[in-house]
Amino acid sequence: MSDNPVIAKRPKGVRKGLSKKVAKKRQKGDIVRTARLSFDHLNTGKKQLIQLLLKESKRILSILIEQAWIGYGLDKCNTKANHNTPKFYEFDTSDIETCLSARFIKCLCTQAQGMINAATAKNKKRLFALGEKQAELQEILRSDVVTVRTEQEVKHLNNLCKAIKTMQRRFAKLHTQPSVPTNIKIEINSLVIEQASENNTQFDVLMTLKSLFKRSYIKENGLDKTKFHLPFKLHRQYNKLASDGEKLNSYLLGVQGLDCRFVLPKAEVTGKGILAIDQGVRSLLTASQRIDDKVTSFDEQDITGEYYYNKLLQQLATTPQGTPKYRRLIKQRDNYVNSVLKHLDLTDIQEVRLEHLFDIKRNKRGVFRHNNPFRKVMFFASKAITTSLRSHCEMHGVRLVLQSSAYRSQRCSQCGFVHTKNRLGKSFHCQSCGYRNDADVNASLNHLANLKPIVNGVSRQFPDGFIWNESGVFAVPPANRIRQTKPVTNDLGWLRVIDGY
């Protein structure tokens, strides 16, 4: 290291791309929101300047990350080195040949620090889980020698050894150096950017970039000025965030625009209801809510008047990827998801339960679904739904719970009977009590019920079906598996309790 290294410090819990002030605000529970100011009004020279800054910043970030990653021994699969990472890193910038100024490089050092912390955080979590598994295995081996073990104990020991080997194999792959994405946004602060005090133009605001390049680079290239003004026009989202929250001095510089960040106060929870949402391909969402013991259900058509989400997925399935039409449809799909979720009324809601989906783009053998009729699933916006709904819940102070979807589409919301034959496509028909309803509505009612969590594979123990309720999982007597001709319901019309279960 050099005699005068650049030091970037971050408080505990800082994530990638967050400044110290943003991290402290999030630790207190405040909400951080972003509004983008577009570069549509920049001339060609300033756009080329932005591209030069981004290109050179990506190169410097790669050098800084590689320097700290190798210098602190993070490139090796060393348990001690990955677990005891320093709170801050020292970067030697004296040998780096660049046209950027020392102020701009200091901003890049802060961002490199956050990217390294984000990469090492995965190692720490896996090391903690691996240590618990190894301690459990050592405790079993240190106990009294048992000549004969039960079948259940042998199975648990084998599963424990397999889990340890799998976690060790995954940990061996995590010591790779984090790469800098091509579309990364550079975090800058008041060292290199400020808002112009005087604005005699037709634009709403002027942002001034200063101290970007070294003096030697300015003289060699004959630059006329050292400050560059970026004109912007404000929009409705920016004005709303500016009126409701506090603007931060840190910005994110990207290709399309400048992201301004605002801190909003945390909303207070006033409702006591529960909203359960089931995701789907034909309908974007099917929800059921319980407020004051009153249960109601609705879907995408009740919000927008049509099933437009299914039409977008059909168009995406038949459009070649990479074309302008494909990019336009992806943007249209994400905007439609945001507009639908913003129409959800969360005033009387305390908790939102969302169906948690993962690996839906693969079949049971782990192969991607490229052929029809499952090609629409390849463009399912599960991540966009989760991200948008989480943001919407934070604004209203509502807790979001990602709930497993195992057996909830096969369970009868009235009697609790679970069987694969209960659901056939879009329709649901219980083979025990004869209850009929829309399959997505029935699944949302199951998400609304307070059921004891179970995992996949339970159906193998009960090939003839089982009862799943708040107490757990129970086998069904043969008499109760007989399908009735008429459904049995109570006064609420959605819950049926079987005696003894």
PDB file of all heavy atoms in Angstrom, residues 472-486:
ATOM      1  N   GLY A 472     -52.100 -29.153  11.642  1.00  0.00           N
ATOM      2  CA  GLY A 472     -51.089 -29.910  10.933  1.00  0.00           C
ATOM      3  C   GLY A 472     -51.692 -30.749   9.825  1.00  0.00           C
ATOM      4  O   GLY A 472     -52.721 -30.395   9.232  1.00  0.00           O
ATOM      5  N   VAL A 473     -51.060 -31.890   9.553  1.00  0.00           N
ATOM      6  CA  VAL A 473     -51.448 -32.790   8.473  1.00  0.00           C
ATOM      7  C   VAL A 473     -51.951 -34.082   9.092  1.00  0.00           C
ATOM      8  O   VAL A 473     -51.308 -34.648   9.993  1.00  0.00           O
ATOM      9  CB  VAL A 473     -50.263 -33.070   7.531  1.00  0.00           C
ATOM     10  CG1 VAL A 473     -50.648 -34.078   6.469  1.00  0.00           C
ATOM     11  CG2 VAL A 473     -49.790 -31.777   6.882  1.00  0.00           C
ATOM     12  N   PHE A 474     -53.104 -34.576   8.612  1.00  0.00           N
ATOM     13  CA  PHE A 474     -53.723 -35.787   9.138  1.00  0.00           C
ATOM     14  C   PHE A 474     -54.209 -36.653   7.979  1.00  0.00           C
ATOM     15  O   PHE A 474     -54.600 -36.137   6.913  1.00  0.00           O
ATOM     16  CB  PHE A 474     -54.911 -35.447  10.054  1.00  0.00           C
ATOM     17  CG  PHE A 474     -54.579 -34.500  11.174  1.00  0.00           C
ATOM     18  CD1 PHE A 474     -54.781 -33.132  11.024  1.00  0.00           C
ATOM     19  CD2 PHE A 474     -54.036 -34.978  12.347  1.00  0.00           C
ATOM     20  CE1 PHE A 474     -54.470 -32.260  12.035  1.00  0.00           C
ATOM     21  CE2 PHE A 474     -53.724 -34.106  13.380  1.00  0.00           C
ATOM     22  CZ  PHE A 474     -53.943 -32.752  13.220  1.00  0.00           C
ATOM     23  N   ALA A 475     -54.181 -37.954   8.202  1.00  0.00           N
ATOM     24  CA  ALA A 475     -54.717 -38.883   7.205  1.00  0.00           C
ATOM     25  C   ALA A 475     -56.234 -38.817   7.188  1.00  0.00           C
ATOM     26  O   ALA A 475     -56.879 -38.496   8.185  1.00  0.00           O
ATOM     27  CB  ALA A 475     -54.250 -40.306   7.507  1.00  0.00           C
ATOM     28  N   VAL A 476     -56.812 -39.128   6.046  1.00  0.00           N
ATOM     29  CA  VAL A 476     -58.262 -39.052   5.873  1.00  0.00           C
ATOM     30  C   VAL A 476     -58.847 -40.451   5.955  1.00  0.00           C
ATOM     31  O   VAL A 476     -58.416 -41.360   5.227  1.00  0.00           O
ATOM     32  CB  VAL A 476     -58.610 -38.412   4.509  1.00  0.00           C
ATOM     33  CG1 VAL A 476     -60.117 -38.284   4.354  1.00  0.00           C
ATOM     34  CG2 VAL A 476     -57.950 -37.057   4.392  1.00  0.00           C
ATOM     35  N   PRO A 477     -59.832 -40.677   6.835  1.00  0.00           N
ATOM     36  CA  PRO A 477     -60.493 -41.986   6.861  1.00  0.00           C
ATOM     37  C   PRO A 477     -61.223 -42.250   5.551  1.00  0.00           C
ATOM     38  O   PRO A 477     -61.614 -41.314   4.838  1.00  0.00           O
ATOM     39  CB  PRO A 477     -61.487 -41.861   8.027  1.00  0.00           C
ATOM     40  CG  PRO A 477     -60.970 -40.733   8.853  1.00  0.00           C
ATOM     41  CD  PRO A 477     -60.301 -39.786   7.894  1.00  0.00           C
ATOM     42  N   PRO A 478     -61.397 -43.507   5.182  1.00  0.00           N
ATOM     43  CA  PRO A 478     -62.074 -43.821   3.906  1.00  0.00           C
ATOM     44  C   PRO A 478     -63.477 -43.252   3.811  1.00  0.00           C
ATOM     45  O   PRO A 478     -63.929 -42.878   2.729  1.00  0.00           O
ATOM     46  CB  PRO A 478     -62.071 -45.350   3.880  1.00  0.00           C
ATOM     47  CG  PRO A 478     -60.952 -45.751   4.784  1.00  0.00           C
ATOM     48  CD  PRO A 478     -60.892 -44.719   5.856  1.00  0.00           C
ATOM     49  N   ALA A 479     -64.185 -43.156   4.933  1.00  0.00           N
ATOM     50  CA  ALA A 479     -65.559 -42.650   4.888  1.00  0.00           C
ATOM     51  C   ALA A 479     -65.600 -41.184   4.481  1.00  0.00           C
ATOM     52  O   ALA A 479     -66.535 -40.740   3.807  1.00  0.00           O
ATOM     53  CB  ALA A 479     -66.230 -42.846   6.246  1.00  0.00           C
ATOM     54  N   ASN A 480     -64.598 -40.413   4.891  1.00  0.00           N
ATOM     55  CA  ASN A 480     -64.586 -38.993   4.573  1.00  0.00           C
ATOM     56  C   ASN A 480     -64.084 -38.705   3.168  1.00  0.00           C
ATOM     57  O   ASN A 480     -64.129 -37.570   2.719  1.00  0.00           O
ATOM     58  CB  ASN A 480     -63.710 -38.229   5.579  1.00  0.00           C
ATOM     59  CG  ASN A 480     -64.376 -38.110   6.934  1.00  0.00           C
ATOM     60  OD1 ASN A 480     -65.378 -38.771   7.182  1.00  0.00           O
ATOM     61  ND2 ASN A 480     -63.811 -37.297   7.806  1.00  0.00           N
ATOM     62  N   ARG A 481     -63.542 -39.709   2.482  1.00  0.00           N
ATOM     63  CA  ARG A 481     -63.053 -39.491   1.126  1.00  0.00           C
ATOM     64  C   ARG A 481     -64.147 -39.688   0.080  1.00  0.00           C
ATOM     65  O   ARG A 481     -63.915 -39.535  -1.100  1.00  0.00           O
ATOM     66  CB  ARG A 481     -61.892 -40.439   0.827  1.00  0.00           C
ATOM     67  CG  ARG A 481     -60.642 -40.140   1.625  1.00  0.00           C
ATOM     68  CD  ARG A 481     -59.424 -40.725   0.942  1.00  0.00           C
ATOM     69  NE  ARG A 481     -59.511 -42.179   0.804  1.00  0.00           N
ATOM     70  CZ  ARG A 481     -59.039 -43.039   1.698  1.00  0.00           C
ATOM     71  NH1 ARG A 481     -58.471 -42.591   2.804  1.00  0.00           N
ATOM     72  NH2 ARG A 481     -59.148 -44.331   1.494  1.00  0.00           N
ATOM     73  N   ILE A 482     -65.335 -40.040   0.525  1.00  0.00           N
ATOM     74  CA  ILE A 482     -66.446 -40.199  -0.411  1.00  0.00           C
ATOM     75  C   ILE A 482     -66.951 -38.819  -0.817  1.00  0.00           C
ATOM     76  O   ILE A 482     -67.237 -37.983   0.032  1.00  0.00           O
ATOM     77  CB  ILE A 482     -67.583 -41.025   0.217  1.00  0.00           C
ATOM     78  CG1 ILE A 482     -67.053 -42.415   0.606  1.00  0.00           C
ATOM     79  CG2 ILE A 482     -68.763 -41.140  -0.731  1.00  0.00           C
ATOM     80  CD1 ILE A 482     -68.062 -43.272   1.323  1.00  0.00           C
ATOM     81  N   ARG A 483     -67.069 -38.613  -2.119  1.00  0.00           N
ATOM     82  CA  ARG A 483     -67.512 -37.319  -2.608  1.00  0.00           C
ATOM     83  C   ARG A 483     -68.996 -37.146  -2.367  1.00  0.00           C
ATOM     84  O   ARG A 483     -69.807 -38.014  -2.704  1.00  0.00           O
ATOM     85  CB  ARG A 483     -67.208 -37.196  -4.097  1.00  0.00           C
ATOM     86  CG  ARG A 483     -67.541 -35.827  -4.669  1.00  0.00           C
ATOM     87  CD  ARG A 483     -67.098 -35.732  -6.103  1.00  0.00           C
ATOM     88  NE  ARG A 483     -67.748 -36.770  -6.898  1.00  0.00           N
ATOM     89  CZ  ARG A 483     -67.442 -37.003  -8.158  1.00  0.00           C
ATOM     90  NH1 ARG A 483     -66.491 -36.310  -8.741  1.00  0.00           N
ATOM     91  NH2 ARG A 483     -68.072 -37.948  -8.827  1.00  0.00           N
ATOM     92  N   GLN A 484     -69.359 -36.007  -1.776  1.00  0.00           N
ATOM     93  CA  GLN A 484     -70.763 -35.688  -1.534  1.00  0.00           C
ATOM     94  C   GLN A 484     -71.360 -35.018  -2.760  1.00  0.00           C
ATOM     95  O   GLN A 484     -70.656 -34.430  -3.577  1.00  0.00           O
ATOM     96  CB  GLN A 484     -70.881 -34.771  -0.320  1.00  0.00           C
ATOM     97  CG  GLN A 484     -70.303 -35.390   0.963  1.00  0.00           C
ATOM     98  CD  GLN A 484     -70.407 -34.438   2.129  1.00  0.00           C
ATOM     99  OE1 GLN A 484     -70.940 -33.358   1.992  1.00  0.00           O
ATOM    100  NE2 GLN A 484     -69.915 -34.867   3.274  1.00  0.00           N
ATOM    101  N   THR A 485     -72.666 -35.109  -2.855  1.00  0.00           N
ATOM    102  CA  THR A 485     -73.343 -34.522  -4.013  1.00  0.00           C
ATOM    103  C   THR A 485     -73.495 -33.018  -3.884  1.00  0.00           C
ATOM    104  O   THR A 485     -73.498 -32.303  -4.872  1.00  0.00           O
ATOM    105  CB  THR A 485     -74.740 -35.143  -4.171  1.00  0.00           C
ATOM    106  OG1 THR A 485     -75.464 -34.960  -2.938  1.00  0.00           O
ATOM    107  CG2 THR A 485     -74.618 -36.623  -4.473  1.00  0.00           C
ATOM    108  N   LYS A 486     -73.599 -32.495  -2.633  1.00  0.00           N
ATOM    109  CA  LYS A 486     -73.775 -31.064  -2.422  1.00  0.00           C
ATOM    110  C   LYS A 486     -72.694 -30.564  -1.471  1.00  0.00           C
ATOM    111  O   LYS A 486     -72.356 -31.243  -0.510  1.00  0.00           O
ATOM    112  CB  LYS A 486     -75.163 -30.754  -1.837  1.00  0.00           C
ATOM    113  CG  LYS A 486     -76.307 -31.107  -2.772  1.00  0.00           C
ATOM    114  CD  LYS A 486     -77.631 -30.722  -2.137  1.00  0.00           C
ATOM    115  CE  LYS A 486     -78.793 -31.069  -3.062  1.00  0.00           C
ATOM    116  NZ  LYS A 486     -80.092 -30.711  -2.469  1.00  0.00           N
TER     117      LYS A 486
END
